[in-house]
Amino acid sequence: MFLKNIQIKNFRNIKKMEYNAESNLNIFMGDNGQGKTNILEAIFVSSTGKSFRTPTDTNLINYEESWYSIKTKYVNNERKINSFIKLDQSKNKILQINNKKTSINNPESLKLVLFIPDDLDLVKGSPLKRRKFIDFTLKQISQDYSFNFDNYGKLLRKRNLLLKNDQTNTKSFNIINDLFVETAVKLILSRINFTSLLDQIIKPLYQEITNGKNTIKIRYALSFNIEDEKINQNILEKSFIENQRSIKDKEIKRKKSMIGPHLDDIHLYQDNKLARHFASQGQQRNIAVCLKLAEVYAFKKIKDYYPVFLLDEVLAELDQEKRLLLLNHLSKAEFQSFLTSVNSNNLRNVEAKLSVIKDGQLIGKE
Ligand SMILES: Nc1ncnc2c1ncn2[C@@H]1O[C@H](COP(=O)(O)OP(=O)(O)OP(=O)(O)O)[C@@H](O)[C@H]1O
Ligand SMILES: [Mg+2]
């Protein structure tokens, strides 16, 4: 997918902006607080209907206005698509794709991989972060996954409620639990397949970005034991149920579901050692960047088209060598990226469209 044009009105500190994305790599430069992240946020909102940094939609409306709107034009395999989103203070939200009302789960919506500074913690942070990382892309890739994911959340809440109310010996607990296990196994299988795809893709990427100094490995880590080496639906289901039996008393005592995809993790190894314990802070950041990059390629492998890659302030945290290697990779890549940077060092010789942003306005090249 390629974003061709975006028109933003009354969004955050951007009163009116039109941007033509003529290049594969698009860089927004500028001082702090000028509106660089707001542009990436506008792209993200146009695709998902939500922000990545506020749960309150109306925060996005410019302080002095009563509504915002974002129009985009993009292409997917030469098919032209347009989108429109408008939100007013009374929370009326209009979402359109190709001039027709739509929901956020439209398969034609602009697909994205987002990297924000917070993601630099992907390696060291909580397992929830790593689960969110793969779930965000799997949900965009597959409507089935998205459906199962939402369903699992509902079943988990129901199951926990029955545990809380001491109703584990009821018929409804058994019904809920059967569905819970079935849905859990579907999610786990999709995640294992995706993780193994990421593992294949990230290996050469990490060598490239770190200049061949370290190796990397990614493994899906289940929240329960499994005896067999081979994993398939039957084996997973069997082990899941056996494990549930063995921790039944514990679950009743703690009143919550203690195994399942809501507690799984993704283990990252550098040179065969767990990266969150052994890799340096900088190396952990390099791994995080490569993970996101791998996600872009994994998406393409599955869907046969690339998502658009948004990177907010990633360069500041990398050393000079990695910065250049990453910029080089992005400028030569087949997919499109949008990147923000406070510092204009390193950017001069990169093949990219460079724009300076000041007070919510594009002021062209510096
Ligand atoms: N609803 C809003 N209306 C008007 N201005 C807003 C609104 N929400 C945020 N802002 C302002 O937008 C400005 C730019 O924010 P943004 O996060 O895009 O800056 P940035 O260029 O990415 O800066 P940094 O380099 O610090 O990350 C901030 O000064 C903020 O006060
Ligand atoms: Mg910013």
Side-chain angles (χ1 to χ4, degrees):
M1 284 187 160
F2 278 79
L3 180 63
K4 293 284 180 188
N5 174 278
I6 180 160
Q7 292 177 44
I8 307 168
K9 281 184 189 155
N10 303 338
F11 184 92
R12 298 272 198 194
N13 74 337
I14 304 168
K15 285 267 183 151
K16 195 167 180 225
M17 179 186 289
E18 175 159 12
Y19 181 77
N20 286 311
E22 290 125 2
S23 178
N24 276 21
L25 176 55
N26 299 270
I27 302 177
F28 302 111
M29 288 183 307
D31 294 338
N32 294 135
Q34 300 305 312
K36 303 180 298 295
T37 305
N38 291 344
I39 303 179
L40 300 192
E41 194 179 27
I43 298 174
F44 188 90
V45 169
S46 81
S47 148
T48 64
K50 286 178 290 198
S51 165
F52 52 79
R53 51 178 180 173
T54 174
T56 315
D57 286 349
T58 46
N59 286 354
L60 303 172
I61 301 171
N62 181 273
Y63 302 141
E64 293 160 2
E65 304 290 338
S66 57
W67 55 271
Y68 79 72
S69 73
I70 307 160
K71 267 188 198 170
T72 68
K73 290 181 194 151
Y74 50 100
V75 290
N76 188 12
N77 290 333
E78 303 195 356
R79 204 172 53 257
K80 289 183 180 167
I81 311 169
N82 65 63
S83 82
F84 176 71
I85 181 165
K86 182 173 179 174
L87 178 89
D88 65 24
Q89 287 290 6
S90 19
K91 298 185 186 163
N92 294 318
K93 200 188 267 181
I94 301 170
L95 276 166
Q96 288 179 346
I97 285 185
N98 289 338
N99 311 313
K100 284 199 194 97
K101 206 174 154 220
T102 183
S103 67
I104 45 166
N105 269 337
N106 192 313
E108 295 258 78
S109 66
L110 185 72
K111 301 294 183 271
L112 301 170
V113 168
L114 169 74
F115 191 103
I116 53 173
D118 206 36
D119 292 323
L120 290 162
D121 273 351
L122 207 54
V123 177
K124 206 173 52 184
S126 69
L128 174 68
K129 265 207 163 131
R130 289 181 288 280
R131 288 194 298 271
K132 278 191 171 166
F133 154 74
I134 47 173
D135 286 337
F136 181 75
T137 296
L138 278 171
K139 282 196 254 178
Q140 286 191 94
I141 287 174
S142 154
Q143 293 209 312
D144 268 358
Y145 189 85
S146 191
F147 174 80
N148 288 330
F149 183 87
D150 291 343
N151 205 17
Y152 181 76
K154 285 179 203 153
L155 291 164
L156 177 64
R157 280 193 293 278
K158 281 188 194 158
R159 191 177 188 275
N160 285 345
L161 192 68
L162 292 169
L163 278 165
K164 207 172 146 198
N165 296 336
D166 276 331
Q167 291 181 333
T168 49
N169 290 325
T170 60
K171 206 173 159 190
S172 51
F173 185 84
N174 291 337
I175 295 170
I176 295 289
N177 197 49
D178 285 352
L179 288 169
F180 178 78
V181 173
E182 191 189 318
T183 318
V185 167
K186 280 185 194 157
L187 289 187
I188 293 170
L189 278 174
S190 304
R191 283 188 185 166
I192 288 177
N193 288 336
F194 192 64
T195 307
S196 102
L197 185 57
L198 284 176
D199 180 58
Q200 287 164 34
I201 293 170
I202 202 173
K203 282 184 162 53
L205 277 177
Y206 195 61
Q207 296 267 308
E208 181 190 329
I209 301 291
T210 61
N211 219 350
K213 295 194 181 83
N214 303 94
T215 62
I216 187 137
K217 193 168 84 184
I218 313 177
R219 292 289 178 271
Y220 192 75
L222 290 162
S223 51
F224 56 92
N225 294 326
I226 192 157
E227 302 276 310
D228 288 78
E229 283 281 295
K230 264 201 173 143
I231 291 185
N232 62 34
Q233 190 172 342
N234 284 341
I235 292 171
L236 260 179
E237 222 166 85
K238 212 172 117 234
S239 309
F240 201 119
I241 293 167
E242 276 168 12
N243 275 278
Q244 271 190 332
R245 278 202 196 110
S246 69
I247 57 159
K248 194 171 177 198
D249 293 343
K250 250 197 218 164
E251 284 196 326
I252 292 173
K253 206 165 137 200
R254 304 226 181 129
K255 300 178 190 302
K256 60 181 180 199
S257 306
M258 291 170 61
I259 56 168
H262 64 292
L263 293 171
D264 291 350
D265 197 356
I266 290 108
H267 285 169
L268 302 152
Y269 300 87
Q270 181 182 258
D271 301 332
N272 285 322
K273 293 185 189 72
L274 210 53
R276 72 165 178 271
H277 296 317
F278 294 100
S280 75
Q281 185 153 308
Q283 288 171 329
Q284 292 183 1
R285 288 173 172 166
N286 298 337
I287 295 172
V289 173
C290 288
L291 268 175
K292 290 279 177 169
L293 205 47
E295 217 174 4
V296 174
Y297 288 102
F299 189 112
K300 155 82 173 161
K301 193 122 200 169
I302 297 169
K303 298 295 276 185
D304 209 29
Y305 61 85
Y306 284 106
V308 169
F309 196 17
L310 308 179
L311 304 99
D312 194 23
E313 286 309 331
V314 56
L315 298 179
E317 304 292 343
L318 306 180
D319 69 32
Q320 173 84 350
E321 184 194 32
K322 314 283 180 307
R323 245 178 258 164
L324 288 174
L325 286 166
L326 177 66
L327 283 169
N328 215 11
H329 188 101
L330 297 178
S331 71
K332 294 197 168 57
E334 282 178 10
F335 56 84
Q336 189 183 32
S337 314
F338 292 81
L339 182 143
T340 72
S341 177
V342 173
N343 203 319
S344 58
N345 293 345
N346 306 108
L347 301 177
R348 299 274 166 244
N349 301 321
V350 179
E351 216 177 292
K353 179 173 176 175
L354 286 182
S355 313
V356 176
I357 165 138
K358 196 164 190 299
D359 281 335
Q361 286 186 321
L362 286 170
I363 53 170
K365 260 193 182 176
E366 205 174 31

